[in-house]
Amino acid sequence: MLDKLIKYFVYATKGHITKTQLIKFLYLADLYSVKWTGEQLTQLDWYYYRFGPWNEDIDSALNKINGKEISIESEYNTVFIKLGVEAENIEFLQLPLSLKLMLDNIRREWAGSGQDKISQLLDYVYNTAPMIDVKKKHKPEEKVKLNLQLEREKLIKELD
């Protein structure tokens, strides 16, 4: 599923996405899925590391499809994930409509260039329940597993 989600966000943004945005989008996709269904979309163990949600398997997945469906390019201090020579249409990913709607909400809300857009995305991600919980107890250089279930617990409390 990780490969499909990566491709979805790169295809849906027409290759105008930074690696930072992509990682945050993947985190939000898993977080929202846990929030509403109790289950993650990916098998990633998310960690708080260097200020944000992270998992080393994302780099492996990106490297596996780099040069094919996506193209990884660095400019200045930013890594861009662009459309590759073998990029397909989103429809080829065969994602359920409900999942596409959720992913598209993430893309519509947070995609785009400019420091304001990135800052808003980072602020939102850093204020999710799993991130708040870990930031209170740990330093950015520590690698600490995030508990995505905290977002679901927060929702359940709000609904009671």
Side-chain angles (χ1 to χ4, degrees), residues 12-13 20 23 33 41 47 63 74 82 101 104 106 109 128 156:
T13 60
T20 299
I23 291 170
S33 181
L41 294 170
Y47 291 92
N63 290 331
S74 294
K82 299 186 175 190
L101 291 172
D104 209 43
I106 294 169
E109 185 70 29
T128 58
I156 291 168

Side-chain angles (χ1 to χ4, degrees), residues 3 21 26 39 48 63 75 87 89 98 121 129 131 154 156:
D3 286 2
Q21 286 172 309
L26 294 169
E39 300 292 326
Y48 170 71
N63 290 331
E75 293 177 28
N89 186 303
S98 58
L121 171 62
M131 291 292 293
K154 179 181 161 191
I156 291 168

